[in-house]
Amino acid sequence: MAFLLPTTLAIIALVFSFANAFDPRPLQDFCVSANDPKATVFVNRRVCKDPKLVTEDDFSTSGLNVSGDPVGGGLSINTVNSDRIAGLNTLGISMARVDYESGAMASPHSHPQATELHLVLEGTLEIGFITADPSNPTKNRLYAKTLNAGDVFVIPPSLLHYQANVGKVKATSFNSLNSHNSDIVIAFVSTFWISSHYFR
């Protein structure tokens, strides 16, 4: 009887350890989102277009060579996500062109479940994120770097981060996220002490 309890616990632990091993990739090659009420496949909150009706246009867009819509604070954002390219649905990637006027700042924000990669095309940006300090878990640590054209910086998923144009001229970055339509959670600027030179 003493042998039965440890054996049973070991079997249960083994069974549940396999329960978390899965491949998060979709079961089909693609699921082009559609507004077709006749479509029968529903994936990721969207109806999938009949694969026989999919064209090359479902996988492309243009217009990243120009600034996007102004969002306030000296920022313009031009996004490419599954709302803009229907073929991105379920593929787990999106991107944005962000243009920053001199002194502009993208307020502290996070993208739950998405890593973000920044490529600076022109200008000078300070980019940083906050996480627990590895040497003292009761404190936070800021990882920040000043980047110039051609430099790249990565933000781990779900971490609070910011971008600020610290140069005298306009700056532009291309930001890629490993989510086909990433969410954004904006923190209140008043929660953080931020140097006044970021605001104009």
Side-chain angles (χ1 to χ4, degrees), residues 78-146:
N78 192 345
T79 59
V80 176
N81 55 29
S82 61
D83 292 332
R84 187 158 165 190
I85 299 180
L88 280 177
N89 187 42
T90 72
L91 297 185
I93 191 165
S94 62
M95 69 183 309
R97 173 190 169 138
V98 183
D99 292 284
Y100 310 78
E101 295 298 327
S102 180
M105 177 181 180
S107 297
H109 62 281
S110 65
H111 305 282
Q113 304 177 14
T115 299
E116 185 171 12
L117 186 71
H118 296 262
L119 167 63
V120 179
L121 295 179
E122 64 178 338
T124 304
L125 292 176
E126 179 180 308
I127 301 176
F129 64 88
I130 300 167
T131 188
D133 188 335
S135 60
N136 185 350
T138 63
K139 295 186 176 183
N140 291 326
R141 180 170 175 188
L142 172 65
Y143 292 88
K145 190 163 180 78
T146 300

Side-chain angles (χ1 to χ4, degrees), residues 21 37 40 47 57 63 76 88-89 115 124 148 152 156-157 163 176 182 197:
T40 56
V47 177
D57 291 338
S76 296
L88 280 177
N89 187 42
T115 299
T124 304
N148 296 299
V152 176
Q163 301 93 252
S176 298
S182 64
H197 79 273

Side-chain angles (χ1 to χ4, degrees), residues 169-186:
V169 297
K170 178 183 138 182
T172 301
S173 68
F174 274 140
N175 307 346
S176 298
L177 296 104
N178 66 339
S179 171
H180 63 272
N181 208 355
S182 64
D183 293 328
I184 184 169
V185 177
I186 299 174

Side-chain angles (χ1 to χ4, degrees), residues 16-31:
F16 283 110
S17 70
F18 292 123
N20 289 326
F22 70 94
D23 187 349
R25 291 179 290 185
L27 298 175
Q28 68 284 347
D29 290 336
F30 54 82
C31 169

